[in-house]
Amino acid sequence: MTITILGLGPGNPRHLTRQAWDLLSGADEVYLRTARHPTVAALPTYLLLHSFDELYESVDDFSAVYETIAERIVALGERPEGVLYAVPGHPLVGESSVQRILALARQQGLTVRLVEGLSFVEPVLSRLEIDTLDGLQLADATDLAVAHHPPLDPDRPALIGQLYGQRLASEVKLTLMNGYPDDHRVTLVRAAGTGAGEVRELPLYELDRGQEIDH
């Protein structure tokens, strides 16, 4: 009875770790937080894939989605064969469902094995040629969206992840404009770590005006 949580990397199948690939190659089935990830198409064809994408379409509150996913994964983890759960990037970088799984598993005495994956952070650092230890701040767009003032030092660079849609971008923009000038230059990085990666510089007030902001 084990829950194995595996990181699929940022999107390019070549970024899968050897450990992750060996586990996927030896599995019969895998549960995916989302199938909307480029690496999924490169998984072994004999794998039985299950995804939780339908939950995102039926529930507006992402917290409820992640709670439901966690409950299902923990229930599956109680089977003799356990469960293999795969998430984009690294399991502990911006993956709320993983934190809920860890908490529930501790309560029920289940073993959780984490299989690291490259997160979105590393490809972004490569594209922008910046060093994360040189004062880089990390923030979640969903947290910034509900804040009044950004909890960021404007004299240091900040990397904001999970900016998955235009409505969220609008809310994040308004929060950031309470701490930064409207025309502050920001860099929008899309699909980092994939062949479709894009980088565009723009003023903060235009953050939500483009069509390229998506999952």
Side-chain angles (χ1 to χ4, degrees):
M1 295 189 294
T2 302
I3 300 171
T4 300
I5 306 177
L6 180 149
L8 291 172
N12 190 323
R14 291 181 297 177
H15 288 154
L16 269 176
T17 67
R18 179 64 178 269
Q19 182 186 24
W21 180 255
D22 288 346
L23 276 172
L24 290 165
S25 298
D28 295 320
E29 65 176 359
V30 60
Y31 285 79
L32 305 164
R33 178 175 67 75
T34 177
R36 299 181 69 181
H37 190 274
T39 298
V40 172
L43 297 181
T45 56
Y46 53 78
L47 265 178
L48 179 60
L49 302 178
H50 311 273
S51 88
F52 293 101
D53 286 324
E54 79 281 354
L55 294 178
Y56 291 91
E57 300 169 2
S58 60
V59 179
D60 292 333
D61 182 4
F62 276 14
S63 295
V65 170
Y66 298 139
E67 191 65 40
T68 300
I69 291 175
E71 291 172 354
R72 292 187 186 178
I73 291 299
V74 169
L76 291 164
E78 294 176 335
R79 303 179 302 179
E81 68 272 29
V83 63
L84 176 59
Y85 176 55
V87 298
H90 189 292
L92 296 180
V93 179
E95 285 295 329
S96 297
S97 68
V98 173
Q99 293 297 328
R100 288 163 168 78
I101 290 169
L102 291 173
L104 287 175
R106 280 193 294 267
Q107 294 174 11
Q108 300 189 27
L110 292 175
T111 300
V112 178
R113 178 187 179 189
L114 294 174
V115 179
E116 291 87 354
L118 199 68
S119 75
F120 76 92
V121 176
E122 291 86 359
V124 170
L125 297 179
S126 295
R127 288 298 301 265
L128 301 182
E129 298 182 348
I130 57 178
D131 186 339
T132 187
L133 295 184
D134 192 21
L136 182 65
Q137 304 169 95
L138 295 176
D140 188 319
T142 58
D143 292 334
L144 282 178
V146 296
H148 174 68
H149 193 277
L152 300 169
D153 181 349
D155 290 324
R156 295 164 50 206
L159 174 57
I160 300 168
Q162 308 213 93
L163 193 72
Y164 58 77
Q166 280 187 289
R167 178 178 176 181
L168 179 61
S170 295
E171 294 168 345
V172 168
K173 179 186 76 173
L174 293 175
T175 299
L176 290 176
M177 286 167 65
N178 284 327
Y180 296 83
D182 293 1
D183 59 354
H184 186 80
R185 303 302 293 180
V186 299
T187 303
L188 186 63
V189 183
R190 179 183 178 275
T194 75
E198 299 174 354
V199 177
R200 185 163 72 91
E201 189 174 300
L202 65 161
L204 176 58
Y205 67 83
E206 290 185 2
L207 180 61
D208 57 345
R209 296 183 184 180
Q211 300 299 315
E212 64 274 350
I213 296 180
D214 59 16
H215 65 282

